Amino acid sequence: MNSRPAVLFVCLGNICRSPMAEGALRVAAERAGVNIEIDSAGTGSWHVGNPPDSRAIATARSMGVDISGLRARQVEPSDFHRFTHVFALDQQNLADLAVIAPTDAAAELALLLDIVPGMEGQPVADPYYGGDEGFTRTWQQVTMAAEAILERLAT
Ligand code: 4NP
C-alpha cells in the first residue's frame, strides 16, 4: 500500500468518463497543492493504447484541462494493491470491479458519485453514444467528485 493517497477511476472503455475524471482530479489536486497519485482504467480492452475520445478531449480542453496525452489501459487485479481508492463510474463498472478485485484487496472500492453529498447512488452516465451535452454533464459530475475526493482526503 502506498503512503500517499492513490486514486484510480474506472469506466468501461477508459476513453470518455474515467480519463475526464483523471484530468479533473489532477487539476484540482494541483490547484489545492495536494500530493496524490491519479490514474484511470477501463474494465474493457477494446480501446487499450488509445487516447481519450475526441469529444472528451475537447470538453476537457474547453475547461482548460489537457487530457490528450492519456492512453487507455485495462484494469487489473494488482490495481487493488497499487491504489488506495478505486472509484467506479457506474454500477456496472462497480459490479465488474467487485469480480476482478482480489480477496485481499487493499483499496477501497466505491461508486464515484457516492462521495458527492446529494448524488449518492447516481451513475456517471456513459456519454459515448450521445451528443456533446453528455460530455459536458460528465465533466460537471467528475469535477464535483474531484472536489469531494480532495475534501475527504484532506480530513
Ligand atoms: P467510457 O465510454 O466507458 O466512458 O470510456 C465508452 C467508450 C467506448 C465504449 C463504451 C463506453 N465502447 O463500447 O467502445
Side-chain angles (χ1 to χ4, degrees):
M1 174 77 81
N2 288 302
S3 52
R4 70 168 173 156
V7 172
L8 180 68
F9 297 105
V10 181
C11 62
L12 178 59
N14 193 208
I15 57 168
C16 296
R17 293 165 291 171
S18 62
M20 292 174 85
E22 179 178 349
L25 183 57
R26 274 190 194 287
V27 166
E30 255 168 51
R31 284 188 191 134
V34 174
N35 183 11
I36 169 174
E37 185 182 344
I38 307 162
D39 196 9
S40 64
T43 57
S45 62
W46 310 282
H47 299 284
V48 168
N50 291 347
D53 185 282
S54 58
R55 297 164 294 174
I57 292 175
T59 302
R61 184 171 288 143
S62 75
M63 303 296 174
V65 181
D66 181 11
I67 61 168
S68 64
L70 301 180
R71 294 295 177 265
R73 74 172 178 90
Q74 190 172 21
V75 69
E76 48 190 75
S78 62
D79 285 320
F80 286 87
H81 293 291
R82 194 179 140 202
F83 293 90
T84 56
H85 297 79
V86 176
F87 288 111
L89 276 281
D90 68 24
Q91 277 85 353
Q92 185 61 55
N93 306 145
L94 184 64
D96 292 339
L97 285 165
V99 171
I100 294 164
T103 49
D104 63 345
E108 187 185 315
L109 173 61
L111 184 71
L112 182 62
L113 290 183
D114 274 355
I115 200 168
V116 182
M119 299 187 78
E120 298 89 347
Q122 290 187 35
V124 176
D126 190 347
Y128 186 65
Y129 294 105
D132 288 345
E133 69 286 350
F135 285 83
T136 302
R137 180 170 166 74
T138 297
W139 185 260
Q140 290 166 346
Q141 291 174 321
V142 299
T143 299
M144 280 189 275
E147 296 300 336
I149 289 169
L150 286 181
E151 249 173 57
R152 186 160 130 200
L153 293 180
T155 56

